[in-house]
Amino acid sequence: MIKAEGLTKQYGALTAVDQISFKVEPGEVLGFLGPNGAGKSTTMRMFAGFVPPTAGSAEICGHSVITDALAAKAKLGYLPEGAPAYGEMRPREFLEFVAAIRGFSGDEQRTRVGEALERLNLTAVQDQSIETLSKGFKRRVGLAQAILHDPPVLILDEPTDGLDPNQKHEVRQLIADMSASKIIVISTHILEEVDAVCNRAIIIANGRILADETPETLIYRSRYHNAVTLRLSRDGDLEAVAADIRTVPGVDHVEITADGRTLTAFPDDNEMILTRIGDLAGANSWPLEQLQLESGRLDEVFRTITSAEAA
């Protein structure tokens, strides 16, 4: 596992990370969420050994990142923010350099470098200098070096930053494929990343952990959970429909969007109101374009939790 206990980092009077504690077991893909400046990257850098903690401890597979740093780093694949690399090198050359540092040579080095290039779809640009690559390709080179030695722990700081939708899908599929046998921590502010690949989420703000739950549990906390959203055609009378919906048992209140064509009915205590509203729509022949049950909105939960902390 990886573990943090009372992990703290101070820069003068600024406390970037404030006594956080958590552990991650094999098979978990942890989304480490927070707004910019929350302490996400600082925490990842402490685990990777780039930044020493002011107080507390961090361990990777039983090795302290402070007192047993080399053994901890041997178990870790790390993709830092920005994926820095030597721009004058070519991807194959850079990965060979990283493989040599990791202790691989000969056939094993060639095999590992070839597999990393193939898994990240870098073969076509393997002999092009890194400084001339697009941001997306540079990101993939960074991810290739992180998985090159097949580490049991991966810490990925914004792994899909700069990738197009197809590339994001490929990287997320790669993470999903690796997740059964590894511990994976993804530091991100992109909420769709958590929804797509994570089975656990920690929300951090002002250096403190505010929530540690599954994405499903977080979504359940959304005020939109089990709400019903409907949209009318332009000739529909949304105000009249809203008045009818307010009489439905289990409806707490109704909110209408500014364009006057969409409304959301919010349930009382997460009660299921979809069938009742659907029956009413059919009986009254509402000119519906959309009728949708809301599962919940992670972005709304995120804003609620972090805004409360800021306040």
Side-chain angles (χ1 to χ4, degrees):
M1 70 176 70
I2 68 171
K3 180 170 64 173
E5 289 188 354
L7 195 61
T8 300
K9 181 61 182 179
Q10 293 177 313
Y11 296 98
L14 173 66
T15 301
V17 177
D18 191 2
Q19 300 186 56
I20 66 171
S21 299
F22 65 92
K23 62 181 179 180
V24 191
E25 305 280 357
E28 286 189 308
V29 181
L30 171 65
F32 207 64
L33 284 166
N36 291 331
K40 304 185 302 297
S41 292
T42 301
T43 301
M44 301 301 101
R45 288 170 186 157
M46 285 191 283
F47 268 107
F50 286 112
V51 174
T54 304
S57 63
E59 293 182 1
I60 297 175
C61 299
H63 302 287
S64 167
V65 300
I66 303 169
T67 61
D68 198 9
L70 285 179
K73 291 176 182 179
K75 300 289 186 182
L76 174 67
Y78 177 49
L79 175 66
E81 186 177 15
Y86 296 106
E88 69 276 11
M89 283 187 170
R90 294 166 294 199
R92 175 175 285 278
E93 186 181 16
F94 175 65
L95 294 178
E96 288 170 347
F97 168 69
V98 172
I101 290 174
R102 291 288 185 181
F104 302 116
S105 60
D107 288 342
E108 186 174 18
Q109 182 187 109
R110 283 188 288 274
T111 298
R112 288 184 178 272
V113 170
E115 288 176 349
L117 287 168
E118 187 173 342
R119 292 182 81 177
L120 273 302
N121 290 325
L122 289 165
T123 307
V125 298
Q126 63 180 321
D127 294 319
Q128 184 177 332
S129 63
I130 293 174
E131 65 188 356
T132 65
L133 297 178
S134 67
K135 185 177 181 181
F137 273 119
K138 288 177 181 176
R139 203 77 188 134
R140 284 194 271 174
V141 171
L143 187 53
Q145 66 77 28
I147 68 172
L148 184 69
H149 57 299
D150 193 25
V153 177
L154 279 173
I155 292 179
L156 311 176
D157 201 345
E158 306 286 0
T160 62
D161 181 41
L163 304 187
D164 65 34
N166 290 333
Q167 293 167 346
K168 285 183 180 181
H169 175 75
E170 291 170 3
V171 169
R172 288 167 182 169
Q173 187 59 54
L174 176 63
I175 291 171
D177 292 343
M178 296 187 297
S179 64
S181 59
K182 298 184 186 297
I183 294 168
I184 302 177
V185 179
I186 299 172
S187 173
T188 184
H189 65 276
I190 303 172
L191 297 178
E192 68 178 74
E193 205 93 283
V194 177
D195 223 11
V197 298
C198 298
N199 51 33
R200 179 179 166 197
I202 285 177
I203 295 178
I204 181 173
N206 295 328
R208 292 190 291 272
I209 291 177
L210 307 180
D212 183 355
E213 303 173 28
T214 65
E216 292 79 11
T217 305
L218 281 173
I219 288 174
Y220 186 82
R221 292 168 59 174
S222 170
R223 72 189 188 99
Y224 285 91
H225 181 68
N226 283 347
V228 175
T229 296
L230 58 86
R231 183 179 182 86
L232 300 184
S233 61
R234 293 194 178 276
D235 58 348
D237 186 346
L238 199 64
E239 290 291 350
V241 168
D244 288 341
I245 289 177
R246 291 187 182 98
T247 68
V248 173
V251 171
D252 180 73
H253 70 285
V254 174
E255 295 180 6
I256 299 176
T257 56
D259 64 6
R261 292 182 60 202
T262 304
L263 69 77
T264 300
F266 292 88
D268 185 22
D269 291 330
N270 285 316
E271 191 166 342
M272 289 297 296
I273 57 175
L274 177 64
T275 301
R276 298 169 195 166
I277 291 176
D279 290 344
L280 187 62
N284 292 342
S285 300
W286 294 340
L288 288 177
E289 289 184 352
Q290 174 188 352
L291 181 65
Q292 172 186 329
L293 177 67
E294 298 269 4
S295 61
R297 300 182 185 179
L298 190 57
D299 59 340
E300 180 255 334
V301 176
F302 177 82
R303 286 196 305 270
T304 299
I305 291 174
T306 56
S307 297
E309 169 65 16

